[in-house]
Amino acid sequence: MKENRFNTGKVFLIAGSEPLGSAGVQADIKAITRCGGWAAAALTCIVDEDTERIKGIHHLPAQLIASQAESFLSTVGADCIKTGVLPTPEIIEAVAGVLRAYPFQPILIDPVVVNFAGEQLVSDEAIEAYKNCLFPLATLITPNRREAEVLLGHPLNDVDVSLRELSRWGCSVLVKSVEEGKYLVDYLYEVENDTITPFPKKRLELTDRNGTGDTLASSIATHLALGCDMQTALSRAEAYMQYFLANPRYIITAGKQAEK
């Protein structure tokens, strides 16, 4: 039982792997470690990509994914669980089954359903599985603006109304990167006390946005795992992101081809 364990900041990830080290489980582990937590993971898929394009996504069997999670949660336990890429309805349903069996910690669902360009990454059936199976189990969901609009089925015209609509499954909501003039704003809606908190940040000219959503969500998960309340977890995660984005990142495009 959770009350018999020390709060050690263990974040259990259920997400995909990619070879560049800038997104997915690789980005999650880096963020969790830097924020003072301990990362462990069950892989959901292997993504084959280079700096130009995604070449293929290879799904692991749903039962293997569930068994990986069961193996960790039943013997070690987590202080927060965070999901990333869940590419099929079958995988989503299997993960939901595990989460229902281990409801003792915060659960952060990062619904990876749309990329930064607005292209849908999963089927309509997978999106419905998110809504029906995962969101009712979530403490917090963290869609970016484009993902929020897909989940809502309409544009994010009125932020206050849309945030409350996205909380209809009983979860708090963070909608990331809402454009407002020279700022991007992350909006947190806390369902328990019906409050909305904006986290504005100046736009940065980034040549590579890959993995920024993963990094922010994992930083939030770490601070929740360490025992912070939602407001504090968000404030610390946003501060980490400003540090992360303002400093030189791993330059994944500066390989041999880029040097020619």
Side-chain angles (χ1 to χ4, degrees), residues 12-26:
F12 187 68
L13 306 161
I14 306 176
S17 171
E18 57 85 62
L20 301 179
S22 60
V25 163
Q26 286 84 351

Side-chain angles (χ1 to χ4, degrees), residues 24-219:
V25 163
Q26 286 84 351
D28 293 330
I29 291 172
K30 290 170 186 174
I32 292 163
T33 302
R34 289 170 180 161
C35 291
W38 174 266
L43 293 184
T44 61
C45 62
I46 308 297
V47 178
D48 179 15
E49 66 178 352
D50 58 23
T51 59
E52 303 291 331
R53 63 190 175 96
I54 294 176
K55 300 177 180 178
I57 301 176
H58 305 275
H59 309 155
L60 295 180
Q63 280 308 113
L64 173 59
I65 296 166
S67 182
Q68 291 179 82
E70 168 76 22
S71 294
F72 184 84
L73 295 172
S74 65
T75 56
V76 180
D79 299 305
C80 185
I81 297 174
K82 183 252 178 186
T83 70
V85 174
L86 305 175
T88 69
E90 294 77 18
I91 289 173
I92 292 168
E93 290 165 7
V95 169
V98 174
L99 298 186
R100 280 191 290 268
Y102 296 91
F104 308 115
Q105 63 284 301
I107 295 172
L108 189 156
I109 304 296
D110 189 17
V112 184
V113 298
V114 176
N115 67 14
F116 192 84
E119 300 165 329
Q120 191 167 312
L121 299 174
V122 299
S123 67
D124 291 341
E125 292 76 15
I127 292 172
E128 287 305 306
Y130 265 106
K131 295 177 181 179
N132 296 329
C133 300
L134 279 184
F135 291 168
L137 304 174
T139 306
L140 176 69
I141 64 173
T142 60
N144 61 37
R145 176 175 185 156
R146 293 182 184 276
E147 288 165 338
E149 290 178 339
V150 168
L151 296 172
L152 290 165
H154 60 74
L156 194 78
N157 295 323
D158 187 319
V159 172
D160 289 6
V161 171
S162 294
L163 284 165
R164 289 180 171 89
E165 186 177 346
L166 286 167
S167 75
R168 65 185 181 271
W169 297 281
C171 52
S172 293
V173 181
L174 179 72
V175 176
K176 301 171 292 189
S177 300
V178 179
E179 298 179 2
E180 294 191 4
K182 62 181 180 180
Y183 290 93
L184 294 175
V185 183
D186 296 341
Y187 282 97
L188 171 66
Y189 174 67
E190 293 181 85
V191 69
E192 293 84 359
N193 52 23
D194 191 34
T195 59
I196 294 175
T197 305
F199 292 87
K201 51 197 176 184
K202 288 185 177 180
R203 291 173 181 265
L204 296 174
E205 294 300 322
L206 300 176
T207 57
D208 176 25
R209 296 183 176 89
N210 192 39
T212 53
D214 296 336
T215 297
L216 176 59
S218 287
S219 180

